């Protein structure tokens, strides 16, 4: 998905969204030459955008060594001949242009970019001010100032989080002091990314608008630091591998089709306990699926949850209803450095089963059904011995079903043995994570009812609730 901002002086900025990871990349141009900021690994999207606009990519920039995805900056620079700019303080083994606070790179008489040190998300984080003939028109803030929040400050370790939170506050104040209110703010994170300290708000903003609403610009430093540290929750386990790959220099991307698995090979992989991921929607999954498969549909943040749940390096096989689904999932996984897939298969479960006995379906219910079952009327469903909540820690603390067992989805595979015996009714916030959890529980031999419903309707449906107090 792309959108475009047209700016004073004839400059324009194309927004290249990666909604599955909650991130944005940017291509700014003057009609002839372009700057690319924080490109994702699949740089063909960026090259296609430049081609559509008829512009030459002259400079590629990363605001920081990313922790939530593999950067495409090095590869994009190699393919286009552009300079690749990073913070001068980042020690990396590949050729690049080291940039320092205040340094200006002029791309043409009509467009230049100014580096601005904005530590907080990382120690060496840079923001980049886009300047045209009228002066500053916008700022690429990476993981610094986001819409209504800032980037999280604990990715380099909890022992740095308070110090970085203070840096983050100072950086936001610096941006607000040195730049005009009318400049556009273009963050990389904050559209569902776990790199955001708290949930971001909105899709666009000027710096002046952020001065009215962003805690980093409205609170005192002590209050901001306390709020930031209190709001931090767990982040995906695969982040531990992203910064390392980016600092070493990511390998070129290879999106050739994985080996095609036969039904017999799928059966053997499932019997071996390997990750076989069903990419169809959860509505299709619950109707029919192969026993032992995990539901992570492409209609949700598949890549985040799969990358978080697996043991890094574990073999992964993808099941799609079409080649397009497999190709899309392969691209998503490559963005977090999962390049080598064990296999893939295309078709519906009835076509992929080596034996009809492999086929399963999953019972689904609503929160109204759960309320009735907790009241003693389970109807067609098994009575709930356990209500399992697989949302995040912060979500559970805000409100939860009274007496629910809480195990976040990303810990479920390792902690299945902690769930009490009996029928498990599992829920999340909307049904996506709960479907993944139900599939994992079924694989472990548990009797499961999937509550495929929005958590916000639970209290109104009569489910007894508790808050975090």
């Amino acid at each position: 998905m792309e959108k475009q901002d047209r700016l004073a002086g004839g400059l324009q900025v194309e927004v290249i969204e990666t909604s599955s990871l909650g991130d944005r990349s940017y291509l700014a141009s003057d009609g002839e030459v372009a700057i690319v900021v924080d490109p994702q690994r699949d740089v063909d999207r960026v090259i296609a955008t430049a081609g559509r606009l008829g512009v030459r990519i002259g400079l590629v920039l990363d605001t920081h060594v990313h922790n939530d995805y593999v950067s495409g900056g090095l590869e994009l620079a190699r393919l286009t001949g552009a300079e690749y700019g990073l913070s001068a303080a980042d020690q990396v083994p590949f050729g690049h242009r080291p940039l320092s606070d205040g340094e200006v790179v002029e791309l043409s008489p009509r467009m230049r970019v100014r580096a601005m040190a904005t530590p907080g998300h990382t120690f060496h984080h840079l923001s980049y001010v886009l300047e045209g003939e009228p002066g500053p028109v916008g700022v690429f803030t990476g993981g610094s100032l986001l819409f209504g929040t800032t980037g999280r400050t604990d990715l380099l370790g909890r022992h740095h989080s308070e110090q970085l939170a203070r840096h983050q506050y100072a950086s936001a104040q610096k941006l607000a002091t040195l730049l005009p209110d009318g400049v556009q703010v273009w963050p990389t994170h904050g559209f569902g990314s776990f790199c955001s300290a708290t949930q971001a708000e909105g899709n666009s903003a000027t710096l002046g608008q952020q001065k009215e609403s962003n805690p980093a610009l409205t609170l005192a430093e002590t209050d901001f630091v306390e709020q930031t540290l209190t709001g931090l929750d767990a982040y995906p386990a695969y982040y531990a591998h992203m910064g390392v790959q980016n600092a070493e220099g990511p390998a070129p991307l290879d999106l050739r089709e994985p080996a095609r698995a036969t039904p017999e090979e799928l059966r053997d992989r499932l019997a071996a306990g390997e990750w076989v991921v069903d990419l169809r929607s959860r509505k299709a999954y619950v109707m029919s699926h192969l026993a032992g498969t995990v539901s992570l549909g492409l209609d949700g943040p598949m890549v985040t949850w799969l990358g978080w749940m697996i043991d890094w390096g574990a073999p992964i096989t993808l099941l799609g209803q079409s080649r397009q689904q497999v190709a899309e999932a392969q691209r998503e996984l490559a963005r977090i450095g999962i390049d080598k897939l064990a296999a893939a298969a295309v078709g519906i479960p009835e076509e992929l089963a080596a034996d009809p006995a492999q086929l399963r379906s999953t019972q689904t219910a609503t929160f109204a059904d759960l309320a009735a079952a907790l009241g003693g009327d389970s109807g067609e469903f098994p009575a709930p011995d356990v209500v399992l909540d697989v949302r995040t820690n912060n979500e559970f603390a805000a409100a939860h079903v009274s007496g629910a067992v809480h195990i976040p989805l990303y810990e479920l595979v390792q902690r299945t043995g902690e769930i009490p015996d009996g029928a498990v009714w599992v829920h999340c916030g909307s049904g996506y994570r709960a479907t993944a959890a139900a599939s994992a529980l079924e694989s472990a031999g548990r009797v499961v009812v999937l509550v495929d419903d929005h958590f916000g309707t639970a209290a109104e449906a009569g489910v007894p609730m508790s808050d975090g107090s």
Side-chain angles (χ1 to χ4, degrees):
M1 177 180 175
E2 298 182 11
K3 63 186 285 288
Q4 185 182 89
D5 290 334
R6 293 190 177 275
L7 308 165
L11 303 186
Q12 63 185 55
V13 172
E14 293 274 333
V15 182
I16 303 171
E17 295 206 49
T18 306
S19 56
S20 56
L21 293 175
D23 290 320
R24 287 179 173 180
S25 305
Y26 299 91
L27 184 148
S29 74
D30 64 356
E32 295 182 4
V33 67
I35 302 164
V36 176
V37 181
D38 288 343
Q40 290 271 337
R41 192 180 187 195
D42 48 329
V43 297
D44 55 337
R45 295 185 296 162
V46 180
I47 292 171
T49 300
R52 173 171 54 81
L53 297 174
V55 297
R56 174 182 61 85
I57 296 172
L59 179 65
V60 179
L61 300 169
D62 268 324
T63 55
H64 58 293
V65 176
H66 296 282
N67 285 282
D68 65 330
Y69 65 86
V70 178
S71 171
L74 183 63
E75 179 69 357
L76 183 59
R78 184 185 71 81
L79 291 172
T80 62
E83 281 195 299
Y84 180 31
L86 290 170
S87 169
D90 285 321
Q91 301 298 312
V92 292
F94 46 83
H96 66 288
R97 177 167 180 167
L99 295 170
S100 301
D101 186 37
E103 188 169 347
V104 176
V105 182
E106 187 166 326
L107 275 294
S108 76
R110 300 175 300 280
M111 183 173 67
R112 60 191 176 273
V113 66
R114 183 184 305 273
M116 184 180 291
T118 49
H121 189 49
T122 65
F123 281 107
H124 305 150
H125 189 285
L126 294 176
S127 294
Y128 298 106
V129 182
L130 182 65
E131 300 179 351
E133 292 178 291
V137 294
V139 57
F140 301 102
T141 55
S144 183
L145 191 69
L146 313 184
F147 295 147
T149 184
T150 58
R152 64 188 306 148
T153 63
D154 60 340
L155 295 181
L156 303 182
R158 284 275 181 176
H159 54 292
H160 290 305
S161 56
E162 181 175 348
Q163 180 186 7
L164 284 171
R166 296 189 185 281
H167 284 319
Q168 194 74 296
Y169 182 83
S171 292
Q173 297 291 321
K174 177 181 179 178
L175 290 167
T177 300
L178 296 182
L179 297 176
D181 285 357
V183 303
Q184 292 291 315
V185 176
W186 295 304
T188 300
H189 305 313
F191 310 95
S193 169
F194 280 91
C195 273
S196 178
T198 57
Q199 184 64 43
E201 299 173 354
N203 258 333
S204 64
T206 63
L207 188 54
Q209 289 168 334
Q210 287 300 294
K211 285 182 178 181
E212 298 175 357
S213 61
N214 197 302
L217 300 175
T218 60
L219 297 178
E221 179 182 1
T222 301
D223 294 334
F224 168 79
V225 170
E226 181 180 354
Q227 182 184 95
T228 298
L229 298 182
T230 301
L232 294 174
D233 202 346
Y235 56 82
Y238 65 82
Y239 279 22
H241 305 278
M242 301 300 96
V244 174
Q245 288 195 42
N246 288 324
E248 291 176 348
L253 183 60
D254 183 352
L255 291 177
R256 286 175 291 183
E257 280 191 282
R260 190 66 63 88
T262 65
E264 290 73 25
E265 289 169 342
L266 290 177
R267 178 191 59 202
D268 292 344
R269 291 187 179 280
L270 288 165
E274 293 185 10
W275 285 85
V276 180
V277 181
D278 192 320
L279 302 169
R280 299 173 302 146
S281 72
R282 66 180 187 269
K283 302 296 184 184
Y285 182 88
V286 299
M287 294 293 292
S288 178
H289 57 265
L290 297 183
T293 56
V294 175
S295 172
L296 286 168
L298 282 170
D299 55 344
M302 176 277 297
V303 63
T304 294
W305 293 109
L306 180 57
W308 202 340
M309 293 170 70
I310 63 169
D311 291 328
W312 198 251
I316 298 170
T317 297
L318 301 178
L319 303 185
Q321 198 156 333
S322 65
R323 290 177 63 192
Q324 290 75 19
Q325 280 191 340
V326 171
E328 182 181 345
Q330 184 179 5
R331 179 179 290 260
E332 295 276 11
L333 291 169
R335 290 170 179 158
I336 64 167
I338 298 177
D339 292 354
K340 296 180 180 178
L341 298 172
V346 174
I348 60 175
E350 289 73 17
E351 297 168 335
L352 299 178
D355 183 334
Q358 288 182 272
L359 297 173
R360 298 285 188 278
S361 61
T362 302
Q363 280 193 298
T364 61
T366 64
F367 277 111
D369 294 324
L370 176 59
L374 290 172
D377 181 14
S378 58
E380 64 187 275
F381 303 105
D385 297 298
V386 183
V387 176
L388 177 65
D389 185 334
V390 296
R391 297 175 302 151
T392 63
N393 296 317
N394 284 352
E395 288 174 295
F396 185 81
H400 56 265
V401 176
S402 296
V405 173
H406 176 232
I407 300 178
L409 176 61
Y410 51 84
E411 296 179 355
L412 181 63
V413 174
Q414 290 74 31
R415 297 178 58 189
T416 301
E418 299 177 24
I419 302 171
D421 293 337
V424 182
W425 288 52
V426 59
H427 78 87
C428 62
S430 63
Y432 184 88
R433 288 171 289 176
T435 308
S439 63
L441 291 170
E442 286 178 349
S443 297
R446 300 301 300 266
V447 174
V448 182
V449 176
L450 163 64
V451 182
D452 189 2
D453 202 353
H454 288 275
F455 183 74
T457 67
E460 184 178 344
V463 177
M465 305 292 290
S466 300
D467 58 25
S469 58

